[in-house]
Amino acid sequence: MRVLFTGADGYIGALLGPYLLERGIDAVGLDTGYYREGWLYPMSGPRPQIVTKDIRDITAEDLQGFDAVAHLAELSNDPLGQQNPELTFQINHQGSVRLANEARKAGVKRFVYMSSCSVYGVGKDDGVLDETSEVNPQTAYAECKVRVENDLTPMNDANFTTCFMRNATAYGASPRQRFDIVLNDLCGLAWTTKEIKLLSDGKPWRPLVHALDMCQAIYCALNADQDKIAGQRMNVGSTDQNYRVIDIAKIVADEFPDCTLSVGEPSADNRSSRVNVDKIQSLRQSRPHAAISDSCGLNQEIHDLATTHLGLAGDPVFEEAVESQA
């Protein structure tokens, strides 16, 4: 199978290329290359060929010979999207729909779109959301996800299959690391400043998903039978990995030596959701990469993140603190 995946130089894309190649897929990446030099650490293993091009400029000719497209490349979070909503819609919505249309023209058979649980927006505090729940996007980024899902669903036919992976909030190690997402952000603050200051009361819920579980979801969608995924929306993560922000912060603060935690007032940002991830289990070939339903699992991920990215491998103070909580 020959697959083009967009966003190859991004947080997930940097992991996805090697992940697919190691599993026998002929994966070719595509990225604008704006941040190509910003790798945090080198990776071993196979590296994919990467085409440097904007998704808005891709033509059917560029996509000839590919069996599938996995589309990750967009302006990738809520605050960035809100800086210029018009540009966000041009890239994330119009650019994504255009890419799908060009793929269909080129004879590509499958289009896997990386959506987001942010489409749910404000969930009820006592409810767990699944793929049948009403969407309630609160930002340009989330609104674009909904629009792309709605525009691509009618494209499904015998020769072209689209599906939508609604990812929870990502965490974990990547050579193209992001520290603007909740768990990674709190780990970075805990180590560099030894202080976590929540700007809210921490009560909103966040579903979490390990970056490699997102790669696994794409791999499974690429290999699934057409009738199992055509037009389907699937939450990606784990049902037991829904946390309040304050609980994530407490676990992180406990893990890092001498880190303090302070909590703010309720925030105007009302995004909060817990999600059910049972649907995608029919596609998965193994359990999630990182089960963090208890503090030990989450603490191990924090340890891995810190030793990989923050230079703590072998630090006696850090290692002693981790051992004391094992």
Side-chain angles (χ1 to χ4, degrees), residues 75-92:
L75 299 179
S76 61
N77 62 29
D78 289 313
L80 179 62
Q82 293 301 103
Q83 291 292 319
N84 189 334
E86 182 179 352
L87 180 60
T88 299
F89 280 99
Q90 289 175 8
I91 296 173
N92 292 17

Side-chain angles (χ1 to χ4, degrees), residues 4-19:
L4 180 76
F5 67 101
T6 68
D9 289 332
Y11 174 56
I12 304 301
L15 299 172
L16 179 62
Y19 187 98

Side-chain angles (χ1 to χ4, degrees), residues 95-116:
S96 296
V97 174
R98 182 183 179 281
L99 178 64
N101 277 313
E102 294 300 309
R104 184 165 60 168
K105 291 178 187 177
V108 172
K109 297 298 184 183
R110 186 161 298 191
F111 194 95
V112 179
Y113 178 66
M114 294 299 270
S115 188
S116 169

Side-chain angles (χ1 to χ4, degrees), residues 37-289:
E37 300 303 318
W39 281 55
L40 195 58
Y41 63 90
M43 284 187 71
S44 60
R47 293 281 301 281
Q49 172 192 351
I50 296 181
V51 177
T52 302
K53 201 164 189 177
D54 191 309
I55 61 167
R56 293 170 292 178
D57 298 327
I58 294 296
T59 66
E61 183 177 355
D62 296 316
L63 299 169
Q64 293 289 336
F66 286 100
D67 301 297
V69 170
H71 180 37
L72 293 76
E74 292 182 342
L75 299 179
S76 61
N77 62 29
D78 289 313
L80 179 62
Q82 293 301 103
Q83 291 292 319
N84 189 334
E86 182 179 352
L87 180 60
T88 299
F89 280 99
Q90 289 175 8
I91 296 173
N92 292 17
H93 174 218
Q94 296 171 3
S96 296
V97 174
R98 182 183 179 281
L99 178 64
N101 277 313
E102 294 300 309
R104 184 165 60 168
K105 291 178 187 177
V108 172
K109 297 298 184 183
R110 186 161 298 191
F111 194 95
V112 179
Y113 178 66
M114 294 299 270
S115 188
S116 169
C117 286
S118 66
V119 300
Y120 298 119
V122 184
K124 295 181 179 179
D125 190 62
D126 59 348
V128 177
L129 305 169
D130 64 18
E131 294 83 355
T132 65
S133 300
E134 182 178 359
V135 296
N136 186 18
Q138 301 294 300
T139 62
Y141 170 79
E143 177 64 30
C144 285
K145 295 295 189 185
V146 173
R147 292 190 184 191
V148 173
E149 289 184 6
N150 290 341
D151 288 348
L152 266 57
T153 298
M155 293 186 187
N156 281 277
D157 58 29
N159 298 311
F160 189 67
T161 300
T162 65
C163 61
F164 314 99
M165 304 288 104
R166 288 180 173 174
N167 297 287
T169 301
Y171 73 94
S174 167
R176 291 289 295 117
Q177 186 66 16
R178 285 179 59 180
F179 284 107
D180 62 316
I181 39 185
V182 60
L183 177 53
N184 295 356
D185 178 27
L186 297 179
C187 288
L189 289 171
W191 175 246
T192 58
T193 70
K194 299 188 183 299
E195 185 176 20
I196 296 175
K197 290 184 177 181
L198 294 185
L199 301 180
S200 71
D201 59 6
K203 290 183 178 180
W205 287 92
R206 291 289 184 271
L208 299 180
V209 60
H210 193 279
L212 287 176
D213 288 333
M214 295 170 69
C215 295
Q216 182 195 66
I218 293 172
Y219 177 78
C220 291
L222 291 171
N223 286 282
D225 293 338
Q226 181 182 19
D227 61 350
K228 290 186 176 181
I229 63 164
Q232 295 297 308
R233 293 144 173 83
M234 294 188 177
N235 294 335
V236 179
S238 180
T239 302
D240 62 3
Q241 293 183 30
N242 291 288
Y243 290 87
R244 290 190 187 273
V245 173
I246 185 63
D247 294 325
I248 301 173
K250 287 177 179 178
I251 295 171
V252 172
D254 287 344
E255 186 67 27
F256 285 82
D258 302 321
C259 180
T260 63
L261 170 63
S262 60
V263 180
E265 299 296 324
S267 171
D269 182 358
N270 58 358
R271 293 172 300 156
S272 178
S273 61
R274 287 185 290 168
V275 300
N276 177 284
V277 193
D278 291 346
K279 184 175 180 179
I280 200 172
Q281 302 309 323
S282 64
L283 301 185
R284 274 185 170 148
Q285 299 167 337
S286 62
R287 63 173 294 175
H289 172 79

